[in-house]
Amino acid sequence: MKAKAFDIRLFKRILEYTKPYKMRFNGVVIFAISLSIFAALRPYLLKQTVDGYIQTEDSHGLLGYIALMGIVLLLEVFSQFYFVYWANWLGQDIVKDIRIKLFKHILSFRMKYFDLVPVGQLVTRSVSDIEAIARIFSQGLFMIISDLMKMVVVLGFMLYMNWKLTWIVIIAMPILVFFTRIFQRKMQVAFEEVRTEISNMNTFVQERVTGIKIVQLFNREAIESEKFKGINNKHKTAWIKTILYNSIFFPIADIISSLALGFVVLYGGIKILNGDHFTTFGDLFSYTMFIGMLFNPLRQIADKFNEMQLGMIAANRVFEILDTQDQIQDTGKKVAPVFEGAISFKNVHFGYIENEEVIKGIDLTVNAGDTVAIVGSTGAGKSTIINLLNRFYEINSGTICIDNENIEEYTLDSLRKQIGVVLQDVFLFADTIYNNITLNSSAITRDQVYEAAKEIGVHEFIMSLPDGYDFDVKERGVMLSSGQRQLIAFLRAYVSNPSILILDEATSSVDTYSEELIQKATETITKGRTSIVIAHRLATIVNADKIVVMDQGLIVEQGTHTELINKESGYYKNLYESQFNNNLTQN
């Protein structure tokens, strides 16, 4: 949906966020009114000074009026300060509330949403678009209100002082309004284009920086630089349009304002020289100030309206995300207890894309306390089982039960707390090892972390690092090897004390030393709890209570290692022997 310059419904929705700050909102309006009154008083006092005291050479009265003008100026400065300060303060409070709401909403989306929407786009919405909304209040709305009030008050003073001269000014105003409206329409389109190009640039940069290893490994630096150059040029072109429109409009506005002033001075001067007393020198002096105060706000309103348009476009984009309902339906009423761990999949069908099933009606039973290994070729649907058990995705049909209870009956939060997952691609935050283990949970103490680390055999490894548990692993854990990151993931899962544990390719692509530690950690954390192990390296799962073999979304074999290896021409037997022979060849 394209944002409108004056989308009333969108504007009202933005104003809803001012309700918690009603007193400050009203204060800004009051200071805007007082600012317009004090600003308009200065030229009027100047007229009184010229006509009443300078021409009559009344030095005593002149000093008194100058002192009065000084007091009015101080009051204007006072009003200006609080008006600007409170308007910006209000804007920042509002975007703080919107940003928190937006981030919380994004965190609630199901995984399918993140499969389709670029991360860079979400970053743009959460950061730069939110800041643009702040400018609605700091540079847009209240500035426009202030300028309009100033224009009304100034026009009132001008009509009161000399309505004949004022008509010259009033006739010129529709011409400026006409050009202002054209300018606003052009700028609305230009700003929409600017926001789109900023989003594209953020997405491109975020992806390339995240995948910098791939870029450098495949010597893509020059190619990616050329691509970025093209995107950057589009961004520049979009901004040049706004610069062009500004370069055309503001000189036109200045010319119209100058011509109006010239006609006023010319007409009033001729009348005074001809002895016509409908105007005075004081009028001409004050009108030179009044015209600037009348036309400059109108000229600035166009500029401030640009800020409003930019903010409205950004708000429209942010509200599109806030209005997106792509969450897993958390309709469960039961709080998941400590599970015994019996799991069953009954005729489960699922596909990431409509009409393309990845899981094709599987039936699977896992007894409480058992260790079940799931094996199969890439794309067989092994990792999808994890996503479905955690309810990251909704199944198309069938049921998934834990302890004979449909998992949809449990609240999402309590369900996921009872399931611990160790993934192949471990993600660590740019933080300390301790915080990456506890994920800043206050329920887990440092002593508990130390004890758990000793139990699974990783305490010595962590203590060997600089600062031990307070070692900063940097972004995505780059200061650690893949095996070390895997060990941290094991400890993270263990300290959460889940009822069910899932290990997804947890021992692949690690060094021999790390693998030994991981094997020990695996034995410790799987003891006494239901565990699902997904692995390519079949030698690591020969002792599993059950091995489930998957192919193309179907379960093709089930049984113990001994049962499956003795099955003539069996899928698992062929897979195991092929892997075993490859290892012999490599050795």
Side-chain angles (χ1 to χ4, degrees):
M1 183 179 70
K2 186 178 178 180
K4 301 175 184 177
F6 289 107
D7 190 330
I8 300 300
R9 289 199 303 175
L10 179 62
F11 187 64
K12 285 181 177 179
R13 185 171 180 182
I14 296 169
L15 288 181
E16 286 290 316
Y17 289 90
T18 66
K19 287 183 177 179
Y21 312 102
K22 190 174 182 180
M23 185 177 295
R24 202 182 313 151
F25 182 91
N26 293 336
V28 173
V29 173
I30 290 170
F31 282 118
I33 295 170
S34 62
L35 180 60
S36 63
I37 293 172
F38 293 134
L41 267 176
R42 285 190 294 110
Y44 178 75
L45 291 176
L46 177 62
K47 166 197 162 51
Q48 297 297 105
T49 303
V50 171
D51 291 340
Y53 302 101
I54 293 179
Q55 284 189 316
T56 61
E57 299 182 357
D58 184 352
S59 59
H60 180 73
L62 178 63
L63 290 173
Y65 254 79
I66 289 176
L68 181 59
M69 289 175 68
I71 293 171
V72 171
L73 180 61
L74 288 174
L75 291 172
E76 183 183 352
V77 169
F78 176 82
S79 299
Q80 179 80 19
F81 169 77
Y82 277 100
F83 169 72
V84 173
Y85 180 71
W86 281 17
N88 280 271
W89 184 12
L90 178 63
Q92 289 302 315
D93 273 334
I94 288 169
V95 298
K96 175 202 67 177
D97 294 343
I98 296 176
R99 186 181 283 117
I100 290 171
K101 185 175 181 180
L102 177 65
F103 186 68
K104 185 178 180 181
H105 192 67
I106 289 173
L107 291 180
S108 71
F109 287 146
R110 55 182 173 174
M111 292 300 161
K112 187 176 182 180
Y113 180 85
F114 299 102
D115 294 340
L116 302 174
V117 179
V119 173
Q121 181 176 314
L122 294 176
V123 172
T124 301
R125 301 294 177 266
S126 303
V127 182
S128 56
D129 280 344
I130 291 286
E131 285 302 322
I133 296 174
R135 292 200 292 272
I136 291 177
F137 298 94
S138 61
Q139 302 296 325
L141 173 64
F142 292 122
M143 291 295 180
I144 291 174
I145 291 174
S146 176
D147 287 342
L148 288 174
M149 287 180 175
K150 189 181 292 184
M151 289 173 62
V152 170
V153 174
V154 165
L155 196 58
F157 270 97
M158 291 173 71
L159 287 169
Y160 171 74
M161 287 166 50
N162 195 315
W163 65 270
K164 291 182 180 179
L165 288 179
T166 305
W167 272 109
I168 297 175
V169 180
I170 291 175
I171 289 171
M173 287 183 68
I175 301 173
L176 184 56
V177 170
F178 171 75
F179 283 108
T180 300
R181 288 296 298 147
I182 294 175
F183 174 66
Q184 289 169 351
R185 292 192 187 102
K186 294 291 185 181
M187 289 300 287
Q188 180 187 352
V189 176
F191 276 135
E192 179 73 44
E193 191 174 333
V194 165
R195 298 311 304 169
T196 299
E197 294 306 328
I198 288 175
S199 179
N200 291 340
M201 183 179 291
N202 283 344
T203 299
F204 183 88
V205 172
Q206 188 272 334
E207 286 183 345
R208 270 57 185 184
V209 171
T210 301
I212 189 66
K213 285 185 179 180
I214 300 300
V215 172
Q216 293 183 353
L217 280 171
F218 289 90
N219 299 314
R220 298 276 301 179
E221 293 93 336
I223 296 172
E224 297 302 333
S225 292
E226 285 301 313
K227 283 185 178 180
F228 180 76
K229 199 177 290 183
I231 294 172
N232 198 31
N233 281 333
K234 288 182 180 179
H235 177 257
K236 180 196 71 174
T237 302
W239 268 114
I240 285 176
K241 283 185 181 180
T242 69
I243 295 168
L244 175 64
Y245 297 145
N246 277 292
S247 301
I248 294 172
F249 171 74
F250 288 111
I252 291 174
D254 287 338
I255 289 170
I256 294 171
S257 176
S258 299
L259 287 174
L261 177 60
F263 279 117
V264 166
V265 173
L266 178 64
Y267 180 68
I270 291 173
K271 290 296 183 181
I272 291 174
L273 292 174
N274 290 337
D276 192 331
H277 298 296
F278 88 90
T279 188
T280 65
F281 283 110
D283 286 341
L284 294 183
F285 269 104
S286 62
Y287 265 63
T288 58
M289 293 180 66
F290 273 135
I291 289 174
M293 294 173 67
L294 188 65
F295 279 84
N296 283 342
L298 187 59
R299 176 175 175 271
Q300 290 169 4
I301 282 174
D303 196 26
K304 299 299 183 291
F305 199 84
N306 293 341
E307 297 291 345
M308 282 281 288
Q309 287 178 321
L310 191 59
M312 294 284 278
I313 290 167
N316 187 68
R317 293 172 183 267
V318 170
F319 288 145
E320 278 183 357
I321 296 179
L322 286 173
D323 291 337
T324 300
Q325 298 302 320
D326 204 3
Q327 296 87 359
I328 294 292
Q329 296 302 309
D330 190 7
T331 55
K333 303 298 183 183
K334 296 181 180 180
V335 175
V338 175
F339 293 134
E340 292 181 10
I343 302 170
S344 65
F345 284 67
K346 299 176 183 176
N347 195 28
V348 173
H349 291 259
F350 170 76
Y352 294 101
I353 302 172
E354 191 174 354
N355 299 324
E356 291 185 24
E357 286 192 343
V358 177
I359 300 296
K360 304 172 181 178
I362 67 168
D363 292 292
L364 173 64
T365 300
V366 179
N367 296 325
D370 278 1
T371 296
V372 174
I374 302 178
V375 300
S377 60
T378 301
K382 305 184 300 296
S383 295
T384 301
I385 299 247
I386 297 173
N387 293 330
L388 300 182
L389 190 60
N390 278 283
R391 294 198 66 203
F392 289 141
Y393 296 85
E394 297 279 23
I395 60 176
N396 296 347
S397 62
T399 57
I400 302 174
C401 297
I402 298 178
D403 293 345
N404 298 316
E405 187 76 58
N406 193 320
I407 59 174
E408 294 180 5
E409 298 298 319
Y410 297 120
T411 62
L412 276 176
D413 182 62
S414 65
L415 172 68
R416 291 173 180 171
K417 278 183 179 179
Q418 294 300 319
I419 302 175
V421 181
V422 180
L423 298 172
Q424 176 186 6
D425 184 17
V426 178
F427 185 92
L428 297 182
F429 295 95
D431 206 335
T432 64
I433 285 181
Y434 177 76
N435 287 337
N436 269 289
I437 293 167
T438 64
L439 297 178
N440 295 300
S441 172
S442 58
I444 302 173
T445 67
R446 190 171 282 264
D447 287 339
Q448 286 176 306
V449 172
Y450 291 166
E451 187 62 31
K454 290 174 183 177
E455 288 177 8
I456 67 173
V458 299
H459 179 71
E460 289 183 8
F461 140 65
I462 295 174
M463 292 304 295
S464 68
L465 297 170
D467 300 321
Y469 286 84
D470 295 316
F471 177 66
D472 190 343
V473 300
K474 305 300 181 183
E475 188 174 4
R476 299 183 67 87
V478 295
M479 301 302 291
L480 302 177
S481 69
S482 59
Q484 290 171 330
R485 290 196 296 270
Q486 200 70 263
L487 290 169
I488 299 303
F490 269 83
L491 186 51
R492 176 195 285 170
Y494 189 49
V495 296
S496 66
N497 195 27
S499 304
I500 297 170
L501 183 69
I502 299 173
L503 307 180
D504 184 6
E505 307 289 359
T507 59
S508 64
S509 303
V510 297
D511 56 87
T512 305
Y513 174 70
S514 295
E515 183 176 356
E516 290 174 0
L517 289 176
I518 289 172
Q519 287 291 358
K520 180 180 178 182
T522 302
E523 293 172 8
T524 303
I525 67 176
T526 57
K527 188 176 181 179
R529 56 168 56 91
T530 302
S531 302
I532 298 176
V533 180
I534 297 173
H536 279 305
R537 299 171 68 174
L538 304 187
T540 63
I541 48 92
V542 293
N543 295 321
D545 296 300
K546 181 195 287 187
I547 297 173
V548 177
V549 185
M550 294 191 68
D551 183 42
Q552 297 183 7
L554 295 169
I555 294 175
V556 293
E557 291 178 351
Q558 295 186 60
T560 65
H561 171 74
T562 303
E563 291 171 347
L564 295 177
I565 204 70
N566 290 323
K567 189 174 182 180
E568 195 66 32
S569 300
Y571 190 104
Y572 177 81
K573 181 179 180 180
N574 291 335
L575 194 64
Y576 185 83
E577 289 178 348
S578 173
Q579 198 171 101
F580 181 75
N581 290 333
N582 284 337
N583 290 338
L584 286 178
T585 302
Q586 291 172 5
N587 292 331

